[in-house]
Amino acid sequence: MSFIIAGIVGLLIAVGLYFGSKSQKKKLGEMAATQTASSAELVELAAAVAKDIGPGSFNQITEVKGTIECADPIVSELSQTACVYYSMSVTREDEETYWEKDANGSRVQRTRRGSESVASNVRKIPFLVRDSAGTIMVDPEGAKIVDEKVFSQFQQGEGRGDGFRFGSYSFNPMSFASLVGGRRTIGYRFEESAVPVGRAVYVLGEAVDSEG
């Protein structure tokens, strides 16, 4: 029997991110109050419930711990990391000069910096968590995921020729003028975070057998 753990609260790849605020401490409290179950125990519970009141009736908040497995993982665009989730972004950083009056009423020239998102992408797929007793399927849709930074690079200027290329991702900044409304491009920041295959993981969510 297979089923899905949905509505994940968090992945403990970077558990330290949970500390530092009341809301995060509340999550830690929820985690501490939830009993850890093995994949085999959940399968047995689901089978027992199905026998008593019918299949598709099992529903239990639980937590599982194990290692991420995926036969057909996605490959992140920038770092080419085999993973089950990634998010990437490209940010244009710029600056502009402007005039204003100082305390003496004189006009002075100043510079200010800004940024804007010019590209982004997020992908995620269901995956298996393997523990000592077997595997269980996890559906990350709608989950709060704590990922890890796998790529970060800043490129000055507008690039040359075809622009910038990292991994399978290419970006041509020609669609953005180097000087727009007085704003000069400083460069582009490329960043990517992921949940790689093979990582130890903690999942808190709802175990159900409604899809078999």
Side-chain angles (χ1 to χ4, degrees):
M1 176 181 292
S2 62
F3 48 95
I4 296 173
I5 295 181
I8 307 168
V9 172
L11 300 178
L12 292 189
I13 290 174
V15 66
L17 297 180
Y18 279 115
F19 296 90
S21 69
K22 291 183 179 180
S23 62
Q24 303 299 0
K25 290 179 180 178
K26 181 180 178 181
K27 290 180 182 179
L28 284 173
E30 293 173 350
M31 290 158 58
T34 304
Q35 182 177 356
T36 301
S38 71
S39 57
E41 289 171 338
L42 290 173
V43 169
E44 290 174 1
L45 284 171
V49 172
K51 182 178 180 180
D52 289 342
I53 58 178
S57 303
F58 180 65
N59 185 302
Q60 177 172 307
I61 300 299
T62 189
E63 62 184 27
V64 293
K65 301 173 183 178
T67 304
I68 294 175
E69 291 187 357
C70 185
D72 188 22
I74 53 180
V75 178
S76 65
E77 296 172 76
L78 300 181
S79 65
Q80 298 288 276
T81 299
C83 58
V84 294
Y85 166 91
Y86 79 85
S87 63
M88 61 81 67
S89 65
V90 181
T91 304
R92 174 179 178 262
E93 298 188 6
D94 55 39
E95 65 179 11
E96 67 174 340
T97 56
Y98 65 99
W99 294 87
E100 68 176 11
K101 290 184 178 181
D102 62 15
N104 298 320
S106 301
R107 294 182 72 244
V108 294
Q109 188 179 59
R110 303 190 187 281
T111 302
R112 58 189 168 200
R113 299 185 62 166
S115 64
E116 63 174 329
S117 174
V118 296
S120 63
N121 191 25
V122 176
R123 288 190 63 194
K124 52 182 173 287
I125 57 174
F127 57 92
L128 296 175
V129 170
R130 178 175 293 278
D131 58 19
S132 60
T135 61
I136 191 167
M137 180 68 71
V138 174
D139 181 358
E141 190 62 37
K144 167 60 179 174
I145 298 176
V146 180
D147 50 22
E148 61 180 84
K149 184 68 67 67
V150 293
F151 188 92
S152 181
Q153 191 165 139
F154 180 75
Q155 293 290 322
Q156 291 185 330
E158 292 288 357
R160 298 179 180 177
D162 296 331
F164 305 104
R165 184 175 184 85
F166 301 103
S168 62
Y169 180 78
S170 60
F171 175 75
N172 192 334
M174 294 304 294
S175 57
F176 300 91
S178 61
L179 193 65
V180 180
R183 305 192 70 87
R184 181 181 66 83
T185 297
I186 298 172
Y188 294 86
R189 187 172 301 280
F190 299 80
E191 294 189 314
E192 188 174 72
S193 296
V195 177
V197 172
R199 286 293 194 268
V201 70
Y202 167 100
V203 182
L204 172 62
E206 182 179 18
V208 298
D209 67 342
S210 58
E211 296 185 14

